[in-house]
Amino acid sequence: ECRETIKKICDSFAVSPIARDIIETASLVNGAGVGIELARAKHHANDPYFLQPMDGVDSTGYRASWWTQFYCILWRSWLSVLKDPMLVKVRLLQTAMVASLIGSIYFGQVLDQDGVMNINGSLFLFLTNMTFQNVFAVINVFSAELPVFLREKRSRLYRVDTYFLGKTIAELPLFIAVPFVFTSITYPMIGLKAGVSHYLTTLFIVTLVANVS
């Protein structure tokens, strides 16, 4: 459909008066000498169909500065997160249910031979759950936003790094809340090492795994 639309636009332009003027001008310039070429180039410098420098575009080709691009992407991504609160609730509820299930399976472990093996299994589920849950969560983001990103990137509205940072920071609260809910439920149920520092260390590692994945 896009190629058909482009073909229609090109065909319409080919028969327009502006296109005929350009062809005539190009023919005259090609048939004249260097002096005539320079004279005609100066004469046509202000014609609307001659490409002119774009106002407001710097040497990098972007109309906005890095910080302006970052702010706009961050604000737009944050609004997209806020406009779908049901998705956030479902993610948190799903995490709480899975955490309760894992906590019930490995409930009340003691430090004997069997308990150590079970704790190893629970820690493995910590990592795999945070990894795959967040990997599959962003599949919808890629499929939904990739066409928009490619179109806006080709239009040089923003850089790739500003888009990545803005999108990541806007979704950071959710990717902190999910590991917090999961770890807060499973950690005491399994009976992992008591102490605030140990809990915070586990929470920090699980949060890093979730964000990296």
Side-chain angles (χ1 to χ4, degrees):
E1 292 178 356
C2 292
R3 291 193 179 101
E4 292 177 358
T5 303
I6 293 172
K7 187 177 183 302
K8 291 179 181 178
I9 295 174
C10 294
D11 293 341
S12 299
F13 176 78
V15 298
S16 65
I18 296 179
R20 289 195 296 268
D21 292 341
I22 292 177
I23 294 175
E24 293 175 0
T25 303
S27 300
L28 292 174
V29 170
N30 290 332
V34 176
I36 298 178
E37 287 185 12
L38 294 175
R40 290 191 180 278
K42 293 179 180 178
H43 174 70
H44 293 292
N46 295 323
D47 287 352
Y49 48 81
F50 276 82
L51 294 178
Q52 302 293 333
M54 297 178 63
D55 295 333
V57 179
D58 58 11
S59 59
T60 62
Y62 297 98
R63 290 181 178 271
S65 63
W66 191 94
W67 287 107
T68 303
Q69 297 175 33
F70 172 73
Y71 173 77
C72 293
I73 293 296
L74 177 62
W75 180 247
R76 186 177 72 175
S77 301
W78 178 247
L79 291 180
S80 65
V81 173
L82 294 180
K83 74 178 183 180
D84 197 2
M86 182 57 64
L87 178 61
V88 177
K89 295 178 181 178
V90 170
R91 287 286 307 278
L92 295 177
L93 180 61
Q94 176 188 5
T95 302
M97 293 176 62
V98 173
S100 300
L101 178 62
I102 296 176
S104 301
I105 295 174
Y106 294 97
F107 184 79
Q109 297 298 317
V110 294
L111 288 179
D112 53 16
Q113 185 63 35
D114 293 334
V116 171
M117 296 296 295
N118 292 335
I119 290 175
N120 285 336
S122 66
L123 295 179
F124 174 76
L125 287 179
F126 262 70
L127 300 180
T128 55
N129 182 72
M130 284 294 100
T131 299
F132 290 106
Q133 179 181 356
N134 292 288
V135 165
F136 291 121
V138 299
I139 290 179
N140 291 329
V141 175
F142 279 112
S143 60
E145 296 194 6
L146 183 60
V148 178
F149 167 75
L150 291 177
R151 182 174 67 248
E152 295 177 343
K153 177 64 176 66
R154 288 169 184 151
S155 301
R156 303 190 71 78
L157 295 180
Y158 48 75
R159 298 170 174 81
V160 178
D161 55 349
T162 55
Y163 176 83
F164 176 77
L165 291 175
K167 188 73 177 174
T168 302
I169 295 176
E171 296 181 351
L172 188 61
L174 179 61
F175 286 105
I176 292 178
V178 169
F180 174 77
V181 172
F182 182 82
T183 307
S184 299
I185 295 175
T186 53
Y187 197 93
M189 290 184 67
I190 297 174
L192 298 177
K193 192 170 184 179
V196 177
S197 61
H198 302 300
Y199 165 76
L200 293 178
T201 302
T202 305
L203 178 61
F204 177 71
I205 295 174
V206 174
T207 302
L208 285 181
V209 170
N211 283 273
V212 169
S213 61

